[in-house]
Amino acid sequence: MKALEKGDIVCLLSEDGKKWLVKIESRNFSTHNGIINLDSITGKSPGGFVMTSTNHKLYFFIPSIEELILHYVKRSTQIIYPKDAGYLILKLGIKEGMKILEIGTGSGAMTLALAYFVGKTGKIYTYEERENFSKKAKHLIEQLNLSDRVVFHTKNIADGIEENNFDSAIIDIKNPQDYLDKVISCLSCGASFGIVVPTTNQVSTVLEISETLPVIDVGVCEILLRKYKTNPERLRPNDVMVGHTAYLITGRKISV
Amino acid sequence: MKALEKGDIVCLLSEDGKKWLVKIESRNFSTHNGIINLDSITGKSPGGFVMTSTNHKLYFFIPSIEELILHYVKRSTQIIYPKDAGYLILKLGIKEGMKILEIGTGSGAMTLALAYFVGKTGKIYTYEERENFSKKAKHLIEQLNLSDRVVFHTKNIADGIEENNFDSAIIDIKNPQDYLDKVISCLSCGASFGIVVPTTNQVSTVLEISETLPVIDVGVCEILLRKYKTNPERLRPNDVMVGHTAYLITGRKISV
Amino acid sequence: MKALEKGDIVCLLSEDGKKWLVKIESRNFSTHNGIINLDSITGKSPGGFVMTSTNHKLYFFIPSIEELILHYVKRSTQIIYPKDAGYLILKLGIKEGMKILEIGTGSGAMTLALAYFVGKTGKIYTYEERENFSKKAKHLIEQLNLSDRVVFHTKNIADGIEENNFDSAIIDIKNPQDYLDKVISCLSCGASFGIVVPTTNQVSTVLEISETLPVIDVGVCEILLRKYKTNPERLRPNDVMVGHTAYLITGRKISV
Amino acid sequence: MKALEKGDIVCLLSEDGKKWLVKIESRNFSTHNGIINLDSITGKSPGGFVMTSTNHKLYFFIPSIEELILHYVKRSTQIIYPKDAGYLILKLGIKEGMKILEIGTGSGAMTLALAYFVGKTGKIYTYEERENFSKKAKHLIEQLNLSDRVVFHTKNIADGIEENNFDSAIIDIKNPQDYLDKVISCLSCGASFGIVVPTTNQVSTVLEISETLPVIDVGVCEILLRKYKTNPERLRPNDVMVGHTAYLITGRKISV
């Protein structure tokens, strides 16, 4: 792997397992295990470590998409969880070169995952009506050097979706039922779509609407992630786990 | 989306929700809802349908990675499930351009997911000692036009891993504990790794070995996928669900 | 334990783990492992075995409540599962001496569990409008020698609940929302209640109604039972599990 | 229900859903919603309320077994959870009149559940080597007026189990594998047993030992309890849930 440079986002990991995602720049960074100057990482290879002011190791890595979502995306709104994003990407068939519609940029967590997976030849068109969210997400995508893959629209999609012929769409807003017909009408025939909703009432409402639209293969699921303690002689799940993030509704547009 | 051509792999979907993945060629294809000649799909756009001999609609789509894994990969061995593959891809930080080691090609399910996500500039080196598996997986990758992204080795890795400086590794064999040190030694510092095992005993054994290796951030988890019936007025989970596929162990190599 | 007698219900268990619950009487009983005459068990102690016609052991036990529910109750309707019944019994505070209302006798699975736990001094009043169900459940309770603890009403509770001052109530019918006020009005202040419903829509409806009633401490949950394969060297959950039985809604009546 | 008396244990419930289990006696009890004198509950009927010093309602109930376990049993050690206790009671066939062996009294949570369900004619013999636990559990059982149903032994069972011919046994200690043979030898033929262990390693060890003992129908499971938020218009599971309490191993003794 290439050496780390100023401006790169790195994952710092303390000896006791705490993680931070930071940009490499000339400033001090404080942890419960002492201080480092972030600049001291410049030029080093991932997987190495620096010693903090109190003589603890601090490892650094190139962050995974999971770490970017969980530790870097500013949590100004509910983010999509990696367990859900990962499943959706395979379920929706996200691939390089795709043209994707995202309704509800939010913090940009899904935007960044999509941007990585559509590659240089793909494009994400993401809509968000709250200006502060849109701005933060745009900044995030810039920091990850993915700006040429994402077009940001700061507007309510009641005022129109400006593109069409999308290969896939992901909807993560409070009232997906109000815009589902509009979204479906912008998709290519055969395109997949995914909707992320937290409540069972929303699932029912979306399912009802979808019965009136040219869609097929509609499915609903939820994904549970259960982590384990890593003591090999006392293997057991963690005492507490995330009990719910969202229901995922997926389907495909058909020609009529 | 571009029109479908002879040789393309398509997902057929019956009105009652049954799916088949087939290659478009000049032959009849029989379903419980009648027969079609696959050639009749040639030149059509995804999302359309053809009528079967018994006057039922049969829709066709470009398959998602989930469908390729579940409906196309020959199940000569236990495949990795999309719920697990999707999570691993985000957790391991799989991205375009990566050089990835896969130990245990198996049916090629993970191979194909990796091949899609590393893009044109990435490369998968996959090892499998059983010749028939290796052959089938190679055929699968060829059919998906991903051959230039995958190097197949038909050998036991006890006899050596021929490359090094990998950005990530995925191990899905019966005895990962026997080769974990060898795999770790071929990774770049900072590289991620993921191990897929079905039993708790294997998890314990791998965790024990990993304590002796230059790795950090070792975690264990399992992913549960719970599907729901899609009647909006009677929303409820399916009566039966997959109760277990595998435990996922992940971590990162550090410099020592 | 006392010796088994004619008329007792026993659990038969084959060497390969198959179970049957039968009444001891003079008749042949056929299994995939050969035939026995049930009378040959008379006078034997639980935990013993008889040899079948094909020389296989068939063990016999006094059935647990779990086995009675899963293997003996005629499944003419959806039964309550032991995982749900067990939790409800502790959650509702079912104890000896209690006077309990059951709306929806169904197959009598919950009736029998309640009858065991209220003891000789308790009483269950159970309502069922479908005569054939009521009859079968009554027969079941007779066979278990619990008849003096259960009063069967074959009527629609729209026509009235004949008793009051109940210590607890369990409702397991299709439209609990239609009768919840009536049920609550028959409870003593401070009494607990439990409602068993399969769909999220029903949960929402019941929660809405309950907001208009003199109840408190209303909770909703579901219980998942995950079984494991018992190979000590390859410990892992079963491949398939029950994904859903019912949502459980519980609460307590208060004075107003 | 009869009026509450001095010395009764009641469940107090605040308007915002917080619970406390207390004994009725002449003393002040402070909550975040003001103070009451517990004596003011004497003579009142369950399901009623008293006003606190700051004019909030505080409801009172006869506690369920679930509440006794979760809110009253002093948590000096890991308690068994109601979800697990409830399932075990049905699975093991606990009924009135049974003679039950408990290895590991702990805080007395399981002891009290068993004592309720064996009724006046049953008996629990419970062993605990740590004197302080045994003492506290004894005090708990006394407060619940169940003392005539429970015999406490403060000793290590390495020094012998003093009774035999048990109808069922529950083992909840750190090293069940060391005493399983001894426990099985004290059971009647046909008796059920349940073992509660937190780790997969312990499950494997117990399964291995059990293969050498006269037992049959050995099963392993875990129970997951998932609670929901009770807003009918926004029904969804809680964000966080208990991810693990224990694995439950059950089986039956056979004659050899």
Side-chain angles (χ1 to χ4, degrees), chain B residues 51-65:
Chain B
M51 300 304 290
T52 70
S53 57
T54 57
N55 221 29
H56 287 90
K57 285 181 184 170
L58 206 56
Y59 291 90
F60 41 85
F61 301 96
I62 297 173
S64 69
I65 296 177

Side-chain angles (χ1 to χ4, degrees), chain B residues 5-231:
Chain B
E5 295 171 22
K6 217 167 248 201
D8 282 353
I9 293 166
V10 291
C11 175
L12 300 179
L13 177 67
S14 67
E15 290 163 340
D16 56 348
K18 215 169 147 28
K19 281 182 187 175
W20 305 266
L21 266 72
V22 295
K23 188 154 56 162
I24 303 182
E25 51 194 346
S26 291
R27 69 173 179 96
N28 280 343
F29 182 77
S30 295
T31 79
H32 63 300
N33 275 346
I35 300 172
I36 62 163
N37 190 303
L38 292 174
D39 212 16
S40 63
I41 300 173
T42 312
K44 298 233 164 80
S45 287
F49 60 86
V50 287
M51 300 304 290
T52 70
S53 57
T54 57
N55 221 29
H56 287 90
K57 285 181 184 170
L58 206 56
Y59 291 90
F60 41 85
F61 301 96
I62 297 173
S64 69
I65 296 177
E66 189 230 19
E67 288 160 342
L68 283 168
I69 292 177
L70 293 182
H71 301 280
Y72 193 67
V73 174
K74 296 291 173 289
R75 298 214 194 194
S76 15
T77 185
Q78 185 59 48
I79 54 156
I80 192 163
Y81 273 67
K83 68 182 178 69
D84 297 325
Y87 182 72
L88 276 179
I89 280 162
L90 263 69
K91 179 81 184 174
L92 300 187
I94 304 302
K95 285 191 302 210
E96 54 186 325
M98 273 192 168
K99 179 183 180 182
I100 295 176
L101 174 62
E102 185 186 35
I103 304 299
T105 312
S107 304
M110 192 72 204
T111 320
L112 81 85
L114 293 170
Y116 273 117
F117 292 124
V118 297
K120 288 192 182 71
T121 55
K123 198 80 134 190
I124 318 299
Y125 298 84
T126 184
Y127 287 75
E128 172 61 55
E129 61 172 327
R130 296 162 299 178
E131 203 176 328
N132 55 333
F133 280 96
S134 198
K135 213 169 150 184
K136 274 186 197 169
K138 198 172 179 182
H139 184 61
L140 169 74
I141 295 298
E142 279 166 10
Q143 283 182 303
L144 298 170
N145 296 317
L146 296 167
S147 290
D148 52 341
R149 303 182 185 182
V150 184
V151 175
F152 288 88
H153 291 292
T154 308
K155 61 183 284 192
N156 188 316
I157 61 164
D159 301 327
I161 297 172
E162 301 181 16
E163 306 83 9
N164 55 24
N165 290 325
F166 289 102
D167 296 313
S168 189
I170 290 187
I171 310 179
D172 187 0
I173 53 174
K174 277 191 188 162
N175 49 346
Q177 64 275 10
D178 295 342
Y179 303 116
L180 190 52
D181 59 342
K182 205 183 277 273
V183 169
I184 296 299
S185 71
C186 295
L187 299 183
S188 288
C189 274
S192 59
F193 62 89
I195 306 166
V196 180
V197 293
T199 74
T200 63
N201 314 69
Q202 289 169 303
V203 174
S204 284
T205 307
V206 167
L207 288 175
E208 253 168 55
I209 300 280
S210 73
E211 288 174 356
T212 68
L213 297 172
V215 299
I216 203 169
D217 197 24
V218 174
V220 177
C221 74
E222 57 178 335
I223 303 265
L224 292 161
L225 169 64
R226 197 180 189 202
K227 294 182 184 173
Y228 281 68
K229 298 185 181 181
T230 54
N231 182 340

Side-chain angles (χ1 to χ4, degrees), chain D residues 10-14 16 18-22 29-33 58 71:
Chain D
V10 291
C11 175
L12 301 179
L13 176 67
S14 67
D16 56 348
K18 214 169 148 27
K19 282 183 186 175
W20 304 265
L21 266 72
V22 295
F29 182 76
S30 296
T31 78
H32 63 300
N33 275 346
L58 207 55
H71 300 280

Side-chain angles (χ1 to χ4, degrees), chain D residues 175-188:
Chain D
N175 49 346
Q177 64 274 11
D178 295 342
Y179 302 116
L180 189 53
D181 59 342
K182 204 182 277 273
V183 169
I184 296 299
S185 71
C186 295
L187 299 183
S188 288

Side-chain angles (χ1 to χ4, degrees), chain C residues 75-189:
Chain C
R75 297 215 193 192
S76 15
T77 186
Q78 185 59 48
I79 54 156
I80 193 162
Y81 274 67
K83 67 182 178 70
D84 297 325
Y87 181 73
L88 275 179
I89 280 162
L90 263 68
K91 179 81 184 174
L92 300 186
I94 305 302
K95 285 190 302 209
E96 55 186 324
M98 273 192 168
K99 179 182 179 183
I100 295 176
L101 173 63
E102 185 186 36
I103 304 299
T105 313
S107 303
M110 192 72 204
T111 320
L112 82 84
L114 292 170
Y116 273 117
F117 292 124
V118 297
K120 288 193 181 70
T121 55
K123 199 79 135 190
I124 318 299
Y125 298 84
T126 185
Y127 286 76
E128 171 62 54
E129 61 172 327
R130 295 162 299 177
E131 202 175 329
N132 56 333
F133 279 97
S134 198
K135 213 169 150 184
K136 275 187 198 169
K138 197 171 179 183
H139 185 62
L140 169 74
I141 295 298
E142 279 166 9
Q143 283 182 303
L144 298 170
N145 296 317
L146 296 167
S147 290
D148 53 341
R149 303 182 185 182
V150 184
V151 174
F152 288 88
H153 290 292
T154 307
K155 61 182 284 192
N156 188 315
I157 61 164
D159 301 327
I161 297 173
E162 303 181 15
E163 306 83 9
N164 55 23
N165 290 326
F166 289 102
D167 296 313
S168 189
I170 290 187
I171 309 179
D172 187 0
I173 53 174
K174 277 190 188 162
N175 49 346
Q177 64 274 11
D178 295 342
Y179 302 115
L180 190 52
D181 59 342
K182 205 183 277 274
V183 170
I184 296 299
S185 71
C186 294
L187 298 184
S188 288
C189 274

Side-chain angles (χ1 to χ4, degrees), chain A residues 3 12 15 34 40 58-59 75 102 108 141 153 159 177 198-199:
Chain A
L12 300 179
E15 290 162 340
S40 64
L58 206 55
Y59 291 90
R75 297 213 192 195
E102 184 186 36
I141 295 298
H153 290 291
D159 301 327
Q177 64 275 12
T199 75

